[in-house]
Structures are given as C-alpha cells and as structure tokens.
C-alpha cells in the first residue's frame, strides 16, 4: 500500500506494540498504538463503518514523502465502507493533517472526530484550495491547538469544504470565543455544539456576529460561563433559522428589563440547571419544548400556546401549572417538587396529557387529592414511577405510599 494510504488509515503510528480490534456487531474497529510493524492489522478494519485510532505520536512522520495516489489506490479508497474516523489521544502535527486530509476526498468518510488530541504548529492548507471533502460532521473534544484568531488567512484554503460542513462540535476545549469570520465561513452549518467551554457573555457577540452561521438550526452552549439571559438573547437574535437552543448548566441572571426578542424560529429551549428562581421573560413565543428542570422555581404561570412538552422536575413548585395555559401540551414532568395535589380531574385534560411524571412530591392522599392521581395512574400516563414513586406527605406516624395505604387514600390504586 502507498505510504499515503498507510498514513490515512494508520495515523496512529507509534513505537509501542499495538494492534486493531474489530467488533463486528458494532462494525467498529479500534486500533491502539499502531506501529509500522503492526500496521498490517488494519486490514481487518476494512469492513468497519467506524474506525478509531487511540494513542500514538505523529510528529515522526512530518517529513514523510507523501506522493499522489495511483488509480487502483483511489478505487480502493472509494470502495471502503468506513463512514466515521475517530482519532484519540494523539499529538497531531497540523502540517501532516493538512497533507493527508485531501486524500479523504476519495473516501466516503462523513464524520471525523478528534478526541483528546493536541494539534501542533500551523499547517499549510493551500493544497486544499477548491477541494471538496465528503466529511459533513466534524467533532473536536478536549483538544488544544494554536488560537484561531488571526489565522483566517491560513485556513482560507479550507473554505470550499467548510462552506459545506453541516455539523461542528468543539466541546470541552476551553473555547472562549470564535472570530467573527469563522462563523461567516460556515455557511451551511446546521448544528453547532460548543458545550463545556469557557464562553462568557463577551465572547458570544463576536462569535455570532452579523452573517455568521446563517443556516444554524441547533446550538448547544451547555455548561459554559454565560450569566446574562438577555445578553445571550441579544447575541443570538441574528440567527434567523435557530430552532433548538441549549443553555443548560450556565448560571443565568435576568437583566431588569430588556426588549430583546429571541429568534421567532426557536422551538426547543433548554434552561435546565441555570439557577433560575423565576421564569424569565420574554420566552420565545412559538416554543414546543421547554426544559426548566433543576432550578428554584416556586411558580410557573406563563402561557405558551404551542408548547407540547414542559419539563419542571426538581424545582420548588407548590402547585402544578394550569394546563389551560398550554392548550396543546402532551408531556409534563413535575418530579421532585413540593406539590400536594394534581388538580386536573377533567377527563378532557387527562386525554390531552399523554405523559405525566410527578413522582417524589409530598401528596395529600385525602380522597379529593387522590382522585386525579388515580385517574392518571389508571390511564397509564404516569409510566414506570406509578405507583411506588407517589408517596404521601408524612403523617403523624410515618410516611406512607399512596399506592399501599388504601384505607387512607380511598382508592388510589385500582382494587384487584
Ligand atoms: C498503548 O501504549 C500505551 C503507552 O505506551 C500503553 O500504556 C498501552 O497499554 C498501550 N495499549 C495497547 C492496547 O497496547
Ligand atoms: C461488541 O459490542 C457489543 C455492544 O457494545 C458488546 O456487547 C460485545 O461484547 C462486543 N464484542 C466484542 C467481541 O468485543
Ligand atoms: C484531555 O486530553 C489530554 C491530552 O491532551 C489528556 O491528558 C486528558 O486526560 C484528557 N482529559 C479527559 C477528561 O479526557
Ligand atoms: C467566567 O466569567 C467571570 C465573569 O464574567 C470571570 O470572572 C471568570 O474568569 C470566567 N471564568 C472562566 C473559566 O472563563
Ligand atoms: C437539557 O439539558 C440537560 C443537560 O444539561 C439534559 O439532561 C436534558 O435532557 C435536556 N433537555 C431536553 C428537553 O433535551
Ligand atoms: C428525584 O429525586 C430522587 C432522590 O433524590 C432522585 O433519585 C431522582 O432521580 C429524582 N428524579 C428526577 C426526575 O429528578
Ligand atoms: C389534605 O386535603 C384535605 C381535603 O382537601 C384537607 O382537609 C387537608 O387539610 C389536607 N391536608 C394537608 C396536610 O394539606
């Protein structure tokens, strides 16, 4: 095989003895510490759809002569079924990556993942000018590299590929912002995941500058350093296609007043574990899924006419929200609050709510309070947690299970 093909397939070359393991069920092949001697072991991976390389040092191969490919090799690359390649625990000289990446244009690899890799030096990406790659999804996790700022010129050779990329993830990598021009290059990007980084309120505005990520539909900013709900709103209001936004695990505060409007396209909003003690406004008006679990909410009384799923577990609610505020709601999670009764005994409402999870609340198991629980439990809407997760408020003697204290709870469980 051509040296270039070996490099392409065996970027994880290292002195230490290593070899590949193929899991046929998963069609996943993992190669550890592949060396020049054991590189033949890759042959068994040719039937895999996912190929993973773990461990190695690539800097020894920086000076390798990499020639152009001959037609049989190109045919061979084109016939491979490999769709995803993962590089893990590697030192990757950027210059080598730049020279090898163009060979991917002969393959059908759609996903490239770099996990716990360190990129070294600055590559010369000129050879990639005008090249199209089949890769649609690029994921970096826990990587370090030279900063991107000021390297727009270097990377411009990649632009005809980056313009077609659909999914990009840069997670757990201390990212604090992206240069404005970077976002403008990703013209077709639909999903951007920058969870577990150091993005603060100041870093957001330049990252999502005018014209950046014009097609973006899914954005995860989970577990960053964001603090201003309205600041985030102002930074993201130029994303005209945004449908799914995850702000969970940031510590958000409200500005006293703001007229900022979220993109009208927003349908799914994740505000889980953001330290909120009240529902902040405005909320995107056409929301279909809202997750505000794991906060300190005491009441929820907003109305959202398109909302289908509302997640409010792990809050301090003393009452369930009024279902009339959510005419098309089908899923409601209320576990681990301070709710004493579920007040909806109207058959119509029960028919609408197909999934309710409300375990871990201190229910009043009087006859009246138990009626809604019993009705929901009877329809199967309460799912797996019913009845064992539905406990009564501790009484003088001891806590009881709604489902077991039949005499006190009237008929919470259906009698056998
Ligand atoms: C790969 O190399 C590392 C360090 O040299 C070693 O700790 C590890 O056990 C090796 N793994 C395999 C599967 O050979
Ligand atoms: C292949 O992966 C499946 C699913 O993770 C696992 O159950 C199985 O044990 C693996 N087989 C081998 C040979 O490792
Ligand atoms: C992140 O990558 C570094 C190497 O760059 C590695 O030493 C460290 O263990 C990785 N951390 C995690 C959480 O995987
Ligand atoms: C998070 O933001 C605060 C205030 O904006 C700043 O003081 C702190 O250094 C930031 N932390 C990180 C990890 O960036
Ligand atoms: C919201 O984010 C949390 C992680 O922070 C995740 O566990 C949860 O499933 C997400 N909610 C939705 C509705 O996707
Ligand atoms: C409710 O709290 C219990 C006990 O702390 C925990 O095990 C469970 O995962 C919680 N459920 C939800 C949905 O948060
Ligand atoms: C439980 O409900 C009954 C009837 O509605 C009421 O009289 C009683 O005070 C409630 N108990 C508690 C502890 O809230």
């Amino acid at each position: 095989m051509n040296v270039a093909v070996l490099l392409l397939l065996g970027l994880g070359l290292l002195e230490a003895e290593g070899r590949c393991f193929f899991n046929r069920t998963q069609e996943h092949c993992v190669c550890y510490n592949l060396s020049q001697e054991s590189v033949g072991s890759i042959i068994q991976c040719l039937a895999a759809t996912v190929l993973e390389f773990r461990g190695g040092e690539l800097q020894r191969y920086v000076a390798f002569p990499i020639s152009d490919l001959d037609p049989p090799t190109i045919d061979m690359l084109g016939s491979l079924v490999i769709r995803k390649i993962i590089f893990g625990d590697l030192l990757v000289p950027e210059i080598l990556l730049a020279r090898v990446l163009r060979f991917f244009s002969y393959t059908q690899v759609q996903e490239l993942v770099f996990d716990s890799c360190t990129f070294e030096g600055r590559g010369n990406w000129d050879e990639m000018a005008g090249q199209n790659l089949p890769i649609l999804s690029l994921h970096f996790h826990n990587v370090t590299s030279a900063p991107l700022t000021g390297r727009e010129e270097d990377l411009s050779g990649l632009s005809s590929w980056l313009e077609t990329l659909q999914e990009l993830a840069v997670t757990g990598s201390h990212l604090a912002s992206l240069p404005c021009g970077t976002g403008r290059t990703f013209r077709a990007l639909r999903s951007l995941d920058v969870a577990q980084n150091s993005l603060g309120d100041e870093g957001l505005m330049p990252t999502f500058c005018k014209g950046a990520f014009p097609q973006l539909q899914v954005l995860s900013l989970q577990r960053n350093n964001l603090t201003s709900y309205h600041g985030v709103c102002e930074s993201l209001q130029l994303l005209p296609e945004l449908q799914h936004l995850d702000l969970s695990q940031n510590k958000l505060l409200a500005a006293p007043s703001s007229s900022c409007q979220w993109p009208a396209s927003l349908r799914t909003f994740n505000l889980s574990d953001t330290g909120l003690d009240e529902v902040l406004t405005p909320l995107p008006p056409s929301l279909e899924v809202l997750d505000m679990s794991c906060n300190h909410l005491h009441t929820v009384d907003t109305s959202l006419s398109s909302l289908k799923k509302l997640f409010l577990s792990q809050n301090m609610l003393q009452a369930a929200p009024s279902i009339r505020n959510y005419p098309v709601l089908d899923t409601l999670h209320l576990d681990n609050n301070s709710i004493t009764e579920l007040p909806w005994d109207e058959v119509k409402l029960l028919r609408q709510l197909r999934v309710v999870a409300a375990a871990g609340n201190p229910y009043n198991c009087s006859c009246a309070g138990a009626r809604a629980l019993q009705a929901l439990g009877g329809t199967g809407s309460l799912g797996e947690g019913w009845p064992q997760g539905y406990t009564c408020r501790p009484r003088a003697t001891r806590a009881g299970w709604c489902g077991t204290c039949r005499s006190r709870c009237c008929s919470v469980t259906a009698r056998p």
Side-chain angles (χ1 to χ4, degrees), residues 105 125-133 156-161 163:
S105 63
W125 299 93
D126 291 349
E127 280 197 58
M128 287 293 293
Q131 287 260 11
N132 291 312
L133 291 179
S156 64
L158 290 174
S159 62
S160 62
W161 165 46
E163 276 169 11

Side-chain angles (χ1 to χ4, degrees), residues 132-389:
N132 291 312
L133 291 179
I135 298 161
L136 299 174
S137 168
L138 193 54
H139 190 165
F140 301 92
H141 177 70
N142 181 30
V143 299
T144 46
S145 82
L148 285 177
T149 312
R151 297 175 64 197
E152 289 87 345
E153 281 293 300
D154 291 15
L155 295 172
S156 64
L158 290 174
S159 62
S160 62
W161 165 46
L162 297 180
E163 276 169 11
T164 61
L165 201 68
Q166 295 185 359
E167 292 182 11
L168 174 67
V170 184
T171 55
S173 300
H174 305 286
L175 190 73
S177 81
L178 282 171
C180 172
T182 306
R184 290 182 177 154
T185 306
F186 290 99
R187 288 215 300 249
L189 202 72
R190 282 185 296 159
S191 168
L192 176 64
D193 182 355
V194 284
Q196 300 175 43
N197 282 296
S198 312
L199 280 157
D201 302 331
E202 336 65 54
L204 223 48
M205 197 65 96
T207 303
F208 298 98
C209 66
K210 191 164 166 43
F213 306 108
Q215 308 269 345
L216 199 64
Q217 294 175 7
V218 179
L219 173 61
S220 174
L221 293 166
Q222 183 191 105
R223 202 166 348 144
N224 272 277
N225 199 16
L226 302 171
T227 60
S228 167
Y229 181 79
H230 294 104
V232 174
C233 175
E234 271 150 30
S235 299
L236 302 186
Q237 60 184 344
L238 296 175
L239 295 174
E241 306 287 331
L242 192 65
Q243 290 178 17
H244 186 123
L245 176 60
D246 186 349
L247 296 180
S248 65
Q249 302 180 47
N250 288 283
K251 290 291 158 263
L252 298 177
L253 295 168
S257 72
S258 165
S259 55
C260 177
Q261 296 295 320
W262 295 96
S265 49
L266 210 51
R267 297 287 178 270
T268 302
F269 199 11
N270 197 335
L271 289 169
S272 172
D273 194 10
T274 48
L276 299 181
D277 52 16
E278 58 175 326
V279 179
L280 300 180
T281 53
L283 283 170
S286 308
L287 275 188
E288 292 176 3
V289 179
L290 176 58
D291 189 342
M292 291 196 294
S293 52
C294 306
N295 282 295
H296 314 292
L297 303 176
H298 291 269
T299 57
V300 173
D301 53 10
T302 40
S303 296
L304 288 163
S305 58
S306 312
L307 200 67
K308 293 179 182 157
K309 304 190 192 310
L310 179 57
F311 300 100
L312 294 169
S313 297
Q314 211 89 34
N315 274 287
M316 300 165 93
L317 301 177
Q318 292 181 341
S322 169
I323 300 308
R324 288 190 177 76
N325 290 338
Y326 313 102
V328 296
L329 198 70
D330 62 40
T331 301
L332 178 61
H333 286 202
L334 294 168
D335 306 81
N336 295 345
N337 277 281
S338 305
I339 297 168
T340 54
E341 60 173 341
L342 297 180
W344 332 295
D345 41 11
E346 292 164 43
V347 174
K348 186 165 155 276
L349 294 180
L350 296 181
R351 207 180 288 142
Q352 175 199 329
L353 276 176
R354 285 187 288 111
V355 182
V356 180
N361 282 292
Y363 288 110
N364 178 344
C365 286
S366 69
C367 297
R371 205 188 310 130
L373 268 182
Q374 186 201 2
L376 280 169
T379 61
S381 303
L382 292 177
E384 285 182 3
W386 174 261
Q388 69 280 1

Side-chain angles (χ1 to χ4, degrees), residues 84-97:
K84 176 173 179 178
I85 300 189
I86 304 168
F87 298 105
D89 307 322
L90 280 164
L91 254 159
V92 185
E94 217 175 80
I95 193 158
L96 184 64
L97 187 63

Side-chain angles (χ1 to χ4, degrees), residues 22-26:
F22 184 32
N23 185 325
R24 263 172 218 288
T25 347
Q26 293 189 309

